[in-house]
Amino acid sequence: MDFSISWINGVSLALAMLVMASLPSISVFSVILRASQFGFWQGVFTALGIVVADILFIVLALFGLVWLVENVAWLFQLVAYVGGGYLLWLALRLWQSKPLSTQLQNANPSSLASFSLGLSLTFADQKAILFYLGFFPAFLNLNHITHWDAGLVVMLAILAVGLPKIIYAYLAARGFKLLARDKQTLMYKITALLLALVGVFLIVKTTATLFD
């Protein structure tokens, strides 16, 4: 196995990615909302969508394939619009719901819907690949990156990005169940408003990129 990454740089990279993934952000917010609304596993699948999108950006950044993102920008924008519209639909549905309602309990949303939500939210930030291009040189020599190096970075990303998101999902799902019925009503309303704000933000941000 041909690695060019030293163990010190590997550990440093993992810790840096862990810290960044743990900071409050739209991706963290989406996991928390999904887990509190539909349970832990839906939060996990949302986190999985975020991780998959991040991995795509990481691979593209490692091998300098920024041109690919530029050539298929319309696809990322389409996914972002779909994600924003889905968030607005969820917000309306949640606003009309009652605490512990049969409608929500029996909704049993598909794992694919949660996964797609995380994926679309992350794809909306196409400039993330530029961030990785500026971030990785502090830990890697991109001119001598090997496939083994790329595989190691992907594994580190899965752990560093996915683990804090899963922890957020667990805490959100657990905490919501412990709320009293009247507090759950309030949380539904607040969550619906926040979902709507994120959906509008996603659509507006994506539209703004069309005029960059």
Side-chain angles (χ1 to χ4, degrees):
M1 292 185 292
D2 185 16
F3 289 103
S4 66
I5 307 175
S6 67
W7 70 270
I8 295 178
N9 282 350
V11 171
S12 300
L13 175 61
L15 290 176
M17 295 176 72
L18 180 63
V19 170
M20 290 188 297
S22 302
L23 294 175
S25 63
I26 290 182
S27 62
V28 168
F29 183 60
S30 64
V31 170
I32 292 175
L33 290 178
R34 197 66 174 170
S36 62
Q37 182 184 3
F38 290 116
F40 170 69
W41 284 108
Q42 295 305 319
V44 170
F45 280 107
T46 303
L48 180 60
I50 294 168
V51 170
V52 169
D54 258 323
I55 288 174
L56 175 60
F57 284 140
I58 287 171
V59 171
L60 293 175
L62 288 176
F63 294 102
L65 300 178
V66 182
W67 60 269
L68 181 60
V69 177
E70 295 174 347
N71 289 333
V72 295
W74 63 270
L75 179 58
F76 290 96
Q77 291 161 353
L78 176 61
V79 173
Y81 277 124
V82 172
Y86 181 61
L87 283 173
L88 293 176
W89 178 76
L90 283 178
L92 177 61
R93 183 179 176 207
L94 187 58
W95 182 268
Q96 299 172 337
S97 300
K98 297 179 181 179
L100 301 177
S101 67
T102 304
Q103 178 185 8
L104 277 181
Q105 288 180 350
N106 294 336
N108 191 25
S110 70
S111 301
L112 179 60
S114 296
F115 175 84
S116 299
L117 176 61
L119 195 72
S120 61
L121 285 172
T122 309
F123 275 167
D125 188 12
Q126 302 165 35
K127 294 180 180 178
I129 188 174
L130 299 178
F131 165 78
Y132 282 122
L133 278 173
F135 173 74
F136 283 146
F139 307 93
L140 310 168
N141 184 346
L142 296 181
N143 293 324
H144 297 89
I145 196 79
T146 69
H147 288 86
W148 288 107
D149 292 330
L152 176 60
V153 173
V154 167
M155 290 301 298
L156 292 177
I158 291 173
L159 294 174
V161 177
L163 183 59
K165 300 293 192 297
I166 291 175
I167 292 175
Y168 276 121
Y170 174 78
L171 293 176
R174 178 72 175 172
F176 189 78
K177 289 181 179 179
L178 297 177
L179 290 176
R181 186 181 180 86
D182 59 332
K183 295 293 181 60
Q184 288 183 357
T185 302
L186 177 62
M187 284 301 299
Y188 276 149
K189 301 300 184 185
I190 293 175
T191 301
L193 289 174
L194 293 176
L195 277 172
L197 287 175
V198 174
V200 171
F201 173 79
L202 189 57
I203 293 173
V204 171
K205 181 179 179 181
T206 303
T207 302
T209 62
L210 297 176
F211 302 97
D212 285 347

